[in-house]
Amino acid sequence: MSQELERVYTINLGKVLLSVDTHRAPRAINMIKEFARHHMKTADIRIEEDLAHQIWSKGVRSPPRKIRVRMSKTDEGYVLVSPYADEKESKDTPDKDSKKGKLSKDSKKDTPVKDVTTDAPINEVKKETTVKEVKKETPVKEVKKDAPSKVKKETPAKVKKKSK
């Protein structure tokens, strides 16, 4: 038949949450079939396997809240419900690189980075001291720990009880 019998819908499956949690995914399948019957005016509805996998992906208890589907009426008289794949039609929009005032990533890499203090490129600036030299110059403070003094714990002498 003609292409006019192919439509894209977003089906709200929010009412699925009102049913018992162990019956939510089958209820979502039934809701999609009811929606297709109502909008495509045909009793014979077939759901594609990919769409069923998408509904059951998080298990029986948590199907998606909304789902985007493509419904197409076939020559045999049944409606095939399949998941909608986004077709990007934004080829006529200009690229971000061509906008005025913004530089592309490649042009930023070409410009040399300058040191603020000397106004010379960073590659040409020589560091006066390196990390190793700094470590050698700075004196290390050594903290001497006194040996722990041996403290004898005095134990109480055993008291002998006199017997009568």
Side-chain angles (χ1 to χ4, degrees), residues 30 60 76-77 98 102 104 111 129:
N30 289 336
V60 70
E76 290 85 26
S98 63
K102 292 189 177 182
S104 66
T111 58
T129 58

Side-chain angles (χ1 to χ4, degrees), residues 78-93:
Y78 64 87
V79 174
L80 182 65
V81 183
S82 59
Y84 176 70
D86 292 331
E87 296 174 4
K88 295 184 180 180
E89 298 177 3
S90 61
K91 293 180 181 177
D92 52 313
T93 58

Side-chain angles (χ1 to χ4, degrees), residues 71-124:
M71 295 183 192
S72 56
K73 201 173 231 182
T74 61
D75 293 332
E76 290 85 26
Y78 64 87
V79 174
L80 182 65
V81 183
S82 59
Y84 176 70
D86 292 331
E87 296 174 4
K88 295 184 180 180
E89 298 177 3
S90 61
K91 293 180 181 177
D92 52 313
T93 58
D95 293 337
K96 292 181 181 179
D97 295 340
S98 63
K99 290 184 179 180
K100 294 180 181 178
K102 292 189 177 182
L103 299 173
S104 66
K105 293 178 183 177
D106 297 332
S107 64
K108 288 181 182 178
K109 290 180 182 176
D110 295 339
T111 58
V113 180
K114 294 185 177 182
D115 185 21
V116 180
T117 57
T118 61
D119 291 334
I122 289 180
N123 297 342
E124 296 175 9

Side-chain angles (χ1 to χ4, degrees), residues 1-6 40 42 44 46 72-80:
M1 298 187 119
S2 66
Q3 291 182 355
E4 294 177 16
L5 299 174
E6 184 173 312
M40 299 298 278
T42 304
D44 191 12
R46 297 184 187 173
S72 56
K73 201 173 231 182
T74 61
D75 293 332
E76 290 85 26
Y78 64 87
V79 174
L80 182 65

